[in-house]
Amino acid sequence: MSATSWDEIVREYRPILLIRPNVLVFYPSVGDSSTEKQVLSDSKTFFVNAVAHELFSPLSAVMGLLELVKEGDRVQENLAKMERHLNRMQRILEQLILLSKIEQENYQPFVRKIVLEQVLREVIHEYEQRIAQKRISLSLEKTNVMIEADEEALKIVLRNLISNAVKYANEASRVEIKRRGDLLLVRDEGLGIPEQELKNVTARFYRAKNVRSISGSGLGLAIVKHILRRLNITWAIHSKLNVGTTVFLELTGVDG
Amino acid sequence: MARVLIVEDEEDILEVVSRYLKLDSHEVLTAKSLEEMYKVLEKGCVDLIVLDLLLPDGDAMDDISSIKVMCPETFIIVLTALREDRNRILGLELGADDYVTKPFNPRELVARVRAVMRRRGSLEKVLTYKDMKLIVHERILQIGEETISLSGKEFDILLLMFQNPKRVFSRSEILDSVWRGSERSERIVDVYMSALRKKIGKERLVTVRGVGYKLG
């Protein structure tokens, strides 16, 4: 993505937080942008530890549900719940493995040509139940292209972005995933983020005031930032309170 | 049986813990956030709170002290994935009564609830003199079937006297024990004694002329 294209985006979408590998730039609705250097304030093992802790909640749920199953209580229903928690644990473990890999000094992303839409469909499939429950209409547009990416890292980033879009979208609203040139856009119509809080949303454990009644760890976007920084990828978040959020993600090697 | 409030944002954990506590004959209330927890407590304190620390609207560690001010008699069992010793120690220092780390077996949690409630039971104290029962943990007096509510100072006076029911207490002794450090006249003791005698009957709180008061 050329610098000019990001210029277009920040002109078109305000307020927006542009997250370059080494610098965060916040463009408010009105007024001048402010720049903050990205510093590695977190210890190398911080994310590994924090994400490892996340395993204990689904594990507790599985242990409890297993007790109910052993007693013959609503066996099929509780087994289905256990399966959901085990899938969540699998996703957390995959995230853990990637995080520990990228902490290694000689880490090299495994970049190869992949079909973007295929990866997107795999990730969307994981959230199908929640999408159906909230009666969200999800669309994919211009995503059937080849890109060059580390599939494992891309999947984890997309999981965080798509699950956020589904989580914070209004009932019966639209979630759009589309490609615009060398950018992927994930857009929801939902709660949005208050403008004064937008520049903080990628800080670890930060949760905007308007979403504090919704379950979440406050780690998702911090992990995305951490991964994309290591992969040298720029991304951006545009959001308006009670309107919705759009996340822009730089794609490399787009072909087709 | 206790009235237990579970504060946990993970629905399945909430459901499983609720079920096991109900099976153990407890009355169960639930909350999924700190905001919901305070709404429940505003309606009335509970015997025990099972409190998950990481909630969507904040770290509940900061709320342990507030809960203890709001509901001093309420026991708190902290439920968390934070395993470090410093977190346990901080939680206990802030007023939590026990600590269960995730992952946990629901039966273990039920056993911990029982243990904490047993501790509460041992704190429950009833002092008896003739037909009067002073129920310390509820700060009330029972005479036969009748329950008499007491103001804070009235209760403190009776607690002092029930601990030595045959002794005569001088006004200055009562003043020193009940109005610790405040510069009040001994006359205040007479005012309270008069009010107490009206509530419990003058034959149960007698004046010993020139000395003070004793239980009758």
Side-chain angles (χ1 to χ4, degrees):
Chain A
M1 182 85 186
S2 68
T4 325
S5 302
W6 278 118
D7 286 347
E8 278 169 23
I9 296 294
V10 300
R11 264 202 308 275
E12 204 176 314
Y13 295 90
R14 291 286 185 102
I16 192 164
L17 178 69
L18 181 66
I19 305 139
R20 294 191 183 279
N22 291 308
V23 73
L24 291 168
V25 192
F26 177 61
Y27 298 85
S29 298
V30 181
D32 296 333
S33 63
S34 56
T35 303
E36 199 181 301
K37 205 167 174 252
Q38 268 212 65
V39 283
L40 268 183
S41 55
D42 300 319
S43 75
K44 263 193 161 186
T45 54
F46 168 78
F47 284 109
V48 175
N49 286 335
V51 173
H53 273 126
E54 291 224 317
L55 278 171
F56 292 119
S57 272
L59 189 55
S60 296
V62 169
M63 284 169 74
L65 292 163
L66 182 63
E67 290 296 321
L68 298 182
V69 169
K70 283 198 295 199
E71 287 171 10
D73 178 14
R74 290 169 294 159
V75 173
Q76 289 308 316
E77 185 190 332
N78 286 327
L79 283 175
K81 284 181 180 175
M82 284 168 70
E83 189 180 17
R84 277 206 301 277
H85 287 290
L86 290 169
N87 286 337
R88 186 173 146 207
M89 286 170 68
Q90 186 187 340
R91 292 196 290 271
I92 295 171
L93 282 168
E94 285 169 8
Q95 197 158 269
L96 256 181
I97 291 166
L98 177 73
L99 285 167
S100 31
K101 264 194 216 167
I102 66 170
E103 298 299 3
Q104 287 164 16
E105 292 198 0
N106 58 356
Y107 168 72
Q108 287 291 328
F110 180 56
V111 177
R112 60 192 179 98
K113 282 196 173 293
I114 52 173
V115 180
L116 175 62
E117 190 154 307
Q118 198 175 314
V119 180
L120 282 167
R121 288 199 185 279
E122 277 175 38
V123 173
I124 292 164
H125 177 68
E126 294 170 15
Y127 300 99
E128 247 170 13
Q129 201 180 355
R130 284 163 75 188
I131 292 168
Q133 273 168 357
K134 288 184 83 171
R135 292 174 292 122
I136 288 170
S137 121
L138 190 143
S139 63
L140 286 178
E141 200 182 311
K142 296 182 183 165
T143 51
N144 200 11
V145 289
M146 299 289 282
I147 59 163
E148 285 171 8
D150 179 317
E151 187 174 347
E152 183 190 11
L154 179 68
K155 226 180 217 177
I156 286 166
V157 167
L158 289 176
R159 255 182 210 149
N160 276 295
L161 301 184
I162 293 171
S163 68
N164 274 352
V166 172
K167 191 194 285 186
Y168 301 120
N170 294 330
E171 294 268 336
S173 66
R174 283 191 309 163
V175 169
E176 283 177 2
I177 302 173
K178 63 180 178 186
R179 187 179 57 85
R180 174 175 162 173
D182 290 351
L183 286 183
L184 182 74
L185 277 67
V186 179
R187 193 178 80 83
D188 69 69
E189 296 165 344
L191 289 173
I193 302 160
E195 180 162 349
Q196 65 275 21
E197 297 195 57
L198 186 54
K199 61 176 145 183
N200 301 323
V201 292
T202 62
R204 61 182 200 183
F205 296 130
Y206 189 85
R207 303 208 68 218
K209 285 194 180 74
N210 61 326
V211 299
R212 289 188 188 160
S213 59
I214 300 172
S215 189
S217 66
L219 276 175
L221 289 181
I223 288 169
V224 169
K225 183 170 76 171
H226 192 65
I227 295 170
L228 294 178
R229 184 176 199 265
R230 198 76 172 91
L231 298 176
N232 212 25
I233 289 175
T234 299
W235 59 301
I237 310 167
H238 157 70
S239 192
K240 281 192 172 168
L241 188 62
N242 299 324
V243 175
T245 300
T246 306
V247 178
F248 303 80
L249 177 68
E250 196 176 80
L251 300 169
T252 47
V254 177
D255 182 9
Chain B
M1 186 187 112
R3 202 159 178 255
V4 182
L5 170 62
I6 310 164
V7 189
E8 162 67 68
D9 63 324
E10 172 58 66
E11 255 176 55
D12 289 337
I13 297 180
L14 197 63
E15 190 192 321
V16 171
V17 172
S18 296
R19 189 184 142 81
Y20 274 86
L21 288 172
K22 280 179 189 165
L23 280 175
D24 207 42
S25 302
H26 299 293
E27 182 190 342
V28 176
L29 305 167
T30 60
K32 288 183 186 169
S33 64
L34 288 168
E35 193 187 344
E36 282 184 28
M37 174 190 78
Y38 282 117
K39 275 187 191 156
V40 173
L41 294 180
E42 275 162 19
K43 288 183 194 152
C45 291
V46 293
D47 296 313
L48 188 143
I49 300 175
V50 175
L51 181 66
D52 181 30
L53 282 191
L54 289 179
L55 291 163
D57 48 355
D59 181 351
M61 187 81 93
D62 304 332
D63 293 76
I64 295 174
S65 316
S66 316
I67 296 167
K68 284 287 180 180
V69 170
M70 205 171 166
C71 297
E73 310 282 324
T74 298
F75 283 85
I76 299 173
I77 297 180
V78 159
L79 193 62
T80 181
L82 303 171
R83 310 169 82 75
E84 288 83 9
D85 283 344
R86 62 198 154 113
N87 286 307
R88 290 171 196 247
I89 293 164
L90 183 61
L92 295 171
E93 275 179 355
L94 287 169
D97 298 279
D98 204 351
Y99 211 102
V100 176
T101 48
K102 290 179 182 176
F104 62 96
N105 186 307
R107 293 176 199 279
E108 182 200 341
L109 181 66
V110 170
R112 298 284 188 105
V113 169
R114 272 195 204 160
V116 168
M117 292 315 294
R118 265 202 306 276
R119 239 192 294 161
R120 182 194 168 104
S122 68
L123 293 177
E124 289 181 0
K125 202 166 154 190
V126 178
L127 299 172
T128 307
Y129 183 69
K130 293 186 180 169
D131 63 343
M132 295 187 283
K133 274 186 189 171
L134 190 67
I135 301 163
V136 178
H137 59 280
E138 291 179 26
R139 296 178 76 86
I140 55 167
L141 181 74
Q142 277 183 346
I143 301 176
E145 295 294 305
E146 195 187 351
T147 298
I148 294 165
S149 63
L150 301 165
S151 74
K153 295 294 181 206
E154 287 170 353
F155 172 82
D156 291 345
I157 293 169
L158 286 182
L159 181 61
L160 175 73
M161 300 180 88
F162 266 77
Q163 282 165 341
N164 287 286
K166 295 201 170 151
R167 223 184 107 190
V168 181
F169 289 87
S170 70
R171 287 177 180 77
S172 65
E173 265 181 298
I174 297 171
L175 194 66
D176 287 348
S177 293
V178 176
W179 279 268
R180 284 177 289 268
S182 80
E183 291 191 11
R184 304 298 293 260
S185 140
E186 286 181 10
R187 177 82 190 107
I188 188 95
V189 176
D190 293 330
V191 172
Y192 271 83
M193 285 302 185
S194 166
L196 262 174
R197 291 174 77 173
K198 276 187 194 148
K199 279 190 178 177
I200 70 174
K202 55 186 177 186
E203 70 284 2
R204 293 190 179 86
L205 189 57
V206 295
T207 308
V208 181
R209 198 173 291 272
V211 186
Y213 297 95
K214 70 184 283 275
L215 294 177

